[in-house]
Amino acid sequence: MTHIRVRTGVLGLALVAGLVVPATATAAPPRATAPAPTVEERRLDGEVPQEILRRSGFAGVAPAFARGLGRADSYREARRLAAREGSALWRRAVDRAQGRGPARGDITRDDDRPLYWARLGMTRELRTWNPGFQLTERQRDALLGVLERTSRGQTDIDLPGGEQRGKGLKRVLLTGFDPFTLDRDIRISNPSGAAALALDGTVIQTEAGPARVETAVFPVRWRDFTQGAVEEALRPYLPRVDLFTTVSQGRVGRFDVERTNGAWRGGFPDNDNVSRTETVPVAAPASQPQWTTTTLPYEAITAADTGRFPVYDNTSVTEIPAGGTEAVVRPDGPTPGSTARAGGGGDYLSNEIAYRATLLRDRLGLRSTLPGGHVHTPVLRFGAENADPATGTVTDPAFVRNRLDIVAQVRSIVAVAVSASEPDRS
């Protein structure tokens, strides 16, 4: 017998041992590395977010979600989990705000921040998850989208049917926002988000009869708006409601009903510290107007006694006049042919949600029949002795009182708007 000497080397030994798959064999594609947490999610590691979660009873939300992910053995199962747990978080936050069930902590029930920080904990777990099965980047993005929409109440909008509407029950859609400018003060709350939690599913008694309010909350991120989050959430419902209002935090010491909204992003950083300076990107840009206007009954709202804060009909905008090159402030609204540089509500995401919602109203052919627009709340402030974020506490009695008063006044403004609007369109 002739002996043949073979030099196997390291690779050959590995092949024999079955540690390396030959190039001709079929092998599963490598799993994509999970992305890192976002700028917004990394703020979770701070002491203040952790204290808010602990003192509200929401500290266990993200760990429980992570354990559920660990048991998921397919994309389909992970999607079911994201939808179920996202919806459960929204309902838990609404129930807490409206006094149902145990508070599970000493943070007052009116606080919107536990929902915000718990949601970020869940999205961070999902974003950084390395499952035991192949998960594509597109699938992970889809899971994050499901979690975002469900935990913001956007899939929980439950408008009464035609029978109840025929009995005089009005239907109202209201939206709020997450906290923002968190690098300036990470303790910040957003009273528009608190109002959304307090009013979701409630019935308000108005002079025109009862009104059922359904709510949702939106992120303070340019990319979500660019991807059509507002239109996706609102399009199914605007034809079915009697009134809508987007709500956000605005100026110190006052409410504003914004008369005009502009098609311009001014570049202020969002919650991911991303800036955008450009025309508001929408579908069918060739037919995009520079301005949209409110159809809320602003005269009735500003004339009514709705609470401790004054309410203004804000008509001011910033424009580049037709034929001009420099931006100017117009106290009485835009001039013909001008280019938007700020609506009454500015050039940030509050102006943009107002612009997108009212543009959607108009494109659906509802401008003459559907009252809708934007309301800015006062800035929610801490007590004077607790104003410094470097030394202040996460809450104080003045902070809670201010938030409760703002939420109560939002409710009153909605009641006045319903009463002053056109009769039921059914």
Side-chain angles (χ1 to χ4, degrees), residues 277-311:
T277 306
E278 59 190 354
T279 300
V280 172
V282 297
S287 63
Q288 177 180 11
Q290 286 294 303
W291 309 99
T292 64
T293 59
T294 189
T295 48
L296 290 172
Y298 51 86
E299 292 178 338
I301 294 172
T302 54
D305 179 10
T306 54
R308 87 181 224 220
F309 297 99
V311 184

Side-chain angles (χ1 to χ4, degrees), residues 20-252:
V20 176
V21 179
T24 56
T26 300
R31 280 185 283 158
T33 303
T38 64
V39 168
E40 191 173 21
E41 290 163 349
R42 287 198 293 271
R43 294 192 185 98
L44 268 167
D45 295 326
E47 293 181 7
V48 167
Q50 293 303 312
E51 180 180 351
I52 291 170
L53 289 171
R54 185 176 64 254
R55 292 178 60 185
S56 62
F58 280 61
V61 170
F65 182 61
R67 291 192 293 272
L69 287 174
R71 294 189 293 270
D73 57 6
S74 68
Y75 168 74
R76 181 178 296 181
E77 178 60 29
R79 190 179 179 95
R80 284 196 294 264
L81 177 73
R84 182 176 67 248
E85 296 306 313
S87 294
L89 176 61
W90 172 256
R91 294 315 315 166
R92 177 174 172 179
V94 168
D95 287 345
R96 189 179 195 275
Q98 296 182 16
R100 290 186 290 272
R104 297 196 180 101
D106 66 340
I107 293 282
T108 56
R109 287 181 177 267
D110 56 289
D111 205 315
D112 60 304
R113 297 173 297 174
L115 170 64
Y116 174 70
W117 291 113
R119 182 194 304 113
L120 279 179
M122 294 174 74
T123 60
R124 184 166 73 172
E125 292 293 347
L126 182 52
R127 194 180 311 278
T128 60
W129 177 43
N130 277 307
F133 57 89
Q134 181 69 19
L135 184 69
T136 67
E137 181 179 350
R138 184 174 180 178
Q139 287 174 324
R140 190 186 301 273
D141 287 344
L143 293 176
L144 286 164
V146 168
L147 182 56
E148 286 278 355
R149 291 188 297 274
T150 55
S151 63
R152 294 180 176 282
Q154 295 173 14
T155 61
D156 190 58
I157 296 170
D158 183 19
L159 295 171
E163 181 180 346
Q164 287 180 287
R165 192 179 188 187
K167 294 179 180 178
L169 182 67
K170 304 288 187 178
R171 302 191 286 189
V172 176
L173 182 59
L174 178 147
T175 69
F177 270 108
D178 289 345
F180 64 107
T181 63
L182 293 152
D183 290 334
R184 185 182 68 196
D185 188 345
I186 200 166
R187 304 174 301 162
I188 280 175
S189 162
N190 194 323
S192 70
L197 292 176
L199 297 181
D200 186 55
T202 63
V203 175
I204 298 176
Q205 298 301 323
T206 79
E207 292 182 3
R212 167 73 172 267
V213 183
E214 290 291 320
T215 72
V217 173
F218 284 88
V220 183
R221 294 190 298 255
W222 295 113
R223 73 170 185 272
D224 297 75
F225 280 50
T226 299
Q227 293 167 357
V230 174
E231 292 82 355
E232 181 181 358
L234 302 187
R235 185 178 289 108
Y237 303 106
L238 290 195
R240 301 170 52 199
V241 300
D242 298 286
L243 182 143
F244 74 88
T245 183
T246 53
V247 184
S248 64
Q249 179 178 248
R251 299 163 181 83
V252 174

Side-chain angles (χ1 to χ4, degrees), residues 112 175-182 184-185 187-195 220 246-256 258 268 309 344-346 348-351 353 374-382 399 402-403 406 410:
D112 60 304
T175 69
F177 270 108
D178 289 345
F180 64 107
T181 63
L182 293 152
R184 185 182 68 196
D185 188 345
R187 304 174 301 162
I188 280 175
S189 162
N190 194 323
S192 70
V220 183
T246 53
V247 184
S248 64
Q249 179 178 248
R251 299 163 181 83
V252 174
R254 60 184 278 180
F255 276 85
D256 288 282
E258 305 298 351
F268 191 78
F309 297 99
Y348 196 42
L349 285 159
S350 56
N351 168 75
I353 197 170
H374 190 79
V375 173
H376 260 123
T377 76
V379 173
L380 177 57
R381 309 184 91 173
F382 288 92
F399 182 66
N402 289 337
R403 185 168 51 217
I406 292 170
V410 169

Side-chain angles (χ1 to χ4, degrees), residues 331-387:
D332 296 323
T335 57
S338 64
T339 301
R341 282 300 177 266
D347 56 14
Y348 196 42
L349 285 159
S350 56
N351 168 75
E352 184 160 332
I353 197 170
Y355 177 83
R356 288 180 179 275
T358 50
L359 178 60
L360 179 61
R361 174 203 63 196
D362 297 350
R363 286 180 167 180
L364 291 172
L366 300 171
R367 190 183 189 284
S368 63
T369 58
L370 178 59
H374 190 79
V375 173
H376 260 123
T377 76
V379 173
L380 177 57
R381 309 184 91 173
F382 288 92
E385 73 289 345
N386 190 35

